[in-house]
Amino acid sequence: MASREQRGSVRTAVVWDTLTAALGEGPRDVVDLGGGTGGLAVRLAGAGHRVRVVDPSPDALASLRRRAEEARQQVVGLQGDVTDLVEVVGAGSADVVVCHGVLEVVDPEQALARVREVLRPGGLLSLVVGQRHAAVLARAMAGHFVQARDLLDDAEPLDARTGRRFTAEEVARLLVAAGFEPQATYGVRVFGDLVPAALVDLEPGAAGSLVELERAVAQRPEYFPLATQLHVLATRP
C-alpha cells in the first residue's frame, strides 16, 4: 500500500523538481510568503538555503518552529502578510520569493508589487496558483453545475475560503504588468486529482508511476487546462 508520503509526492513532485532546479546548489536567501507550518521551507533549508517564512498565523509559525527543530534545520519565522511584507523582511533582501497558494486570497496586484520590492534585481519568483478550468471541471463532476457555470469566466474570488482561480494567460498578464519576466509555466496535479485515491493506495507502484506521468506532462501547454494548479517561475529584471 502506498504511504501517505508517497501520495503527497504526487501533489508536490513537479513543484519541488522545478523549484530546486531553478535555485541551484548555492545558498540563496529565500522568503516563503504564506509558508505556514513550513512543509516547503524546511525542505529548502535542508537543501542549504537561508529561509524566512512570513505568515500571519502565530499558530502556524509555532508549528514551523517545531518542524524545523525536529528536522534540525534553521528557518526564521516572521509574522506578517502581503501588506507589510517589505517592512517585515526588507526591500531588496531576497534572491527568491516563494508565493504558493497566496495569490488566490489576497489582492494579486498588490501582492506582486510587494514581492517585487523585496526581490533583488535578477531575483526569482516561484508562484503557484489555482487554475480555473480544472476548478470548473471539478465542480461539474461533483454535480455543482451552477457553480461551474458561474466560474467559467469569473476572475473574482469564489468565496472567502477558496479565493480566486486563474488561467495561464491571466497569470502571465499579471506578472508582466507587475514588472516580472515569466520564464516557465508548469501544470501541477494534471491527473493526480482525477485518479481515484484507492487506485493509488492499493496498486503497487501506482504512486511512483503517477508522479512520472505528472512530470511528463508538466510542461505541455495542452494539459494546462486540466491542471489543478499552475507553477510559474518569473524573474525581476
Side-chain angles (χ1 to χ4, degrees):
M1 177 179 291
S3 69
R4 180 176 300 178
E5 289 76 15
Q6 285 176 304
R7 296 196 299 273
S9 72
V10 174
R11 302 169 66 90
T12 62
V14 169
V15 173
W16 179 249
D17 288 350
T18 55
L19 178 57
T20 53
L23 265 62
E25 296 182 359
R28 311 286 293 277
D29 291 317
V30 180
V31 170
D32 188 352
L33 176 58
T37 61
L40 181 63
V42 171
R43 291 183 72 183
L44 289 172
H49 302 290
R50 297 177 290 268
V51 186
R52 291 173 288 173
V53 171
V54 178
D55 197 277
S57 169
D59 291 339
L61 293 175
S63 296
L64 163 67
R65 286 192 293 272
R66 290 192 294 271
R67 186 192 293 264
E69 289 171 358
E70 290 171 1
R72 298 184 179 180
Q73 299 297 331
Q74 184 173 357
V75 178
V76 177
L78 301 167
Q79 189 168 1
D81 57 25
V82 164
T83 60
D84 60 359
L85 178 65
V86 180
E87 291 77 16
V88 170
V89 303
S93 66
D95 299 312
V96 180
V97 172
V98 174
C99 184
H100 294 180
V102 173
L103 228 58
E104 293 89 336
V105 294
V106 299
D107 181 316
E109 289 85 1
Q110 181 190 48
L112 291 174
R114 297 291 188 272
V115 167
R116 192 179 190 281
E117 285 188 68
V118 303
L119 275 173
R120 295 166 181 149
L124 176 73
L125 167 62
S126 173
L127 180 68
V128 173
V129 298
Q131 196 271 127
R132 182 179 303 133
H133 301 308
V136 172
L137 178 63
R139 280 158 180 75
M141 292 180 66
H144 303 309
F145 306 123
V146 174
Q147 291 182 17
R149 177 64 185 87
D150 290 343
L151 184 57
L152 278 176
D153 302 304
D154 192 353
E156 292 304 309
L158 301 179
D159 54 52
R161 184 177 64 86
T162 56
R164 297 173 178 81
R165 292 295 182 267
F166 302 85
T167 66
E169 294 77 15
E170 287 167 348
V171 174
R173 287 196 296 269
L174 283 168
L175 288 169
V176 171
F180 289 92
E181 294 181 353
Q183 300 297 321
T185 300
Y186 304 85
V188 179
R189 290 155 56 191
V190 174
F191 302 110
D193 290 348
L194 300 175
V195 174
L199 188 154
V200 178
D201 288 347
L202 299 176
E203 186 69 25
S209 296
L210 182 54
V211 167
E212 291 307 311
L213 179 59
E214 292 280 358
R215 287 170 172 153
V217 300
Q219 284 191 277
R220 297 193 180 193
E222 62 268 32
Y223 287 95
F224 290 172
L226 291 176
T228 300
Q229 296 174 316
L230 297 170
H231 184 200
V232 183
L233 299 178
T235 54
R236 175 192 170 177

